[in-house]
Amino acid sequence: MTVLRPEGAETPEPPPEERKSRWNTAALRRRVLIGAIVVWAVAITVLVAVRDGGDDGTPTGTAPSAAPSASDAPLTVAQIHQALTPSVVVIETTGHDSRARAEAGSGTGVIANADGTVLTALHVVDGAETIELTYADGTRAAAKLRSEDPSRDIAMLTPEKLPETLVPAVLGGGAAVGDDVVAIGNPLGLVFSATSGVVSGLNRRLNGDDGGQGIEGLIQFDAAVNPGNSGGPLINDRGQVIGIVIALANPSGAGTFIGIGFAVPIGAALGGTGEGDGQSPPL
């Protein structure tokens, strides 16, 4: 065997002892070189860690950070509508009037309990032969009158069927004059409409028809409501239902909104099934 040298000269192959010595020297050099590379890499890593992480050697880029807490800011009308619409239902009724003529009506309700109980205004379902609910997801269900409180024009309904996802409303209270409010309902058949305004007054009274017993302790508000809104929720800027809409005031008797609506406070709406002969002006 020959080893090529510059200029093509041939040189005799070295003896085995010399070849072994050369191989050991080359291997040693490789080990020294690899060790130096490892030491250099470790040194660079430590330098970067100390520079980026402070005295404790922990890189700040990998340290966990707390997630921001939920905002305490008031909700917008759009956010309230999005959050509460799944809790609102369209109510449609059929029946007969005092002359046995067929009649139909409509209104609004709100899911007030995890069992599906719907709160609404009594005059929406009073005397109805059939009551049908339509949920926001399109599910339709018959309902029965569970309880009624004529003294406050409030009724509770029990649906025969629930939507696939049931979303009860969050109930609140403590309304004050000037608070922002939103009403969601089905005015004139325009389902799931939202209007906004403020609380205009508290502890208002509505006189009953024909001098009958009136309704006291009502919330006055100026969010627009019209026929079909009755039974729907009045909602504060935290997305809590604070009242059930029952009436509007219009001295002309036209039954259209002129800036004054009334709602039963949610605490009173849930407060029992007392008897009474008063009726509020219906929506």
Side-chain angles (χ1 to χ4, degrees), residues 14-172:
E17 293 79 3
E18 184 177 347
R19 290 202 307 270
K20 183 175 181 181
S21 176
R22 292 179 181 178
W23 184 88
N24 289 339
T25 301
L28 180 61
R29 289 175 179 173
R30 283 195 297 271
R31 288 197 293 270
V32 170
L33 179 59
I34 292 172
I37 291 173
V38 170
V39 171
W40 175 80
V42 171
I44 291 297
T45 300
V46 171
L47 177 63
V48 171
V50 171
R51 182 183 61 188
D52 291 345
D55 294 338
D56 61 358
T58 303
T60 57
T62 60
S65 59
S69 59
S71 174
D72 291 329
L75 301 176
T76 66
V77 174
Q79 290 171 327
I80 292 170
H81 182 264
Q82 182 178 18
L84 267 294
T85 293
S87 304
V88 176
V89 299
V90 179
I91 300 177
E92 296 172 295
T93 64
T94 62
H96 292 82
D97 64 14
S98 59
R99 297 183 181 181
R101 293 175 300 189
E103 61 181 2
S106 65
T108 306
V110 60
I111 303 169
N113 194 293
D115 65 3
T117 296
V118 171
L119 270 178
T120 188
L122 176 58
H123 70 260
V124 171
V125 296
D126 193 23
E129 297 170 10
T130 67
I131 304 171
E132 185 172 64
L133 311 180
T134 302
Y135 297 93
D137 67 357
T139 300
R140 299 175 71 89
K144 295 181 179 180
L145 183 62
R146 171 177 169 180
S147 64
E148 59 183 84
D149 182 358
S151 69
R152 296 187 178 97
D153 192 21
I154 291 295
M156 293 186 183
L157 307 179
T158 300
E160 294 183 357
K161 177 183 177 182
L162 299 178
E164 183 175 348
T165 302
L166 185 70
V167 185
V170 177
L171 309 181

Side-chain angles (χ1 to χ4, degrees), residues 128-224:
E129 297 170 10
T130 67
I131 304 171
E132 185 172 64
L133 311 180
T134 302
Y135 297 93
D137 67 357
T139 300
R140 299 175 71 89
K144 295 181 179 180
L145 183 62
R146 171 177 169 180
S147 64
E148 59 183 84
D149 182 358
S151 69
R152 296 187 178 97
D153 192 21
I154 291 295
M156 293 186 183
L157 307 179
T158 300
E160 294 183 357
K161 177 183 177 182
L162 299 178
E164 183 175 348
T165 302
L166 185 70
V167 185
V170 177
L171 309 181
V177 174
D179 285 353
D180 292 327
V181 288
V182 171
I184 299 178
N186 310 302
L188 307 176
L190 303 172
V191 298
F192 305 113
S193 296
T195 56
S196 63
V198 299
V199 172
S200 305
L202 299 172
N203 297 316
R204 300 305 197 201
R205 174 185 171 85
L206 284 178
N207 293 324
D209 294 341
D210 301 323
Q213 179 182 350
I215 303 176
E216 299 181 345
L218 299 175
I219 300 170
Q220 177 191 339
F221 61 91
D222 69 355

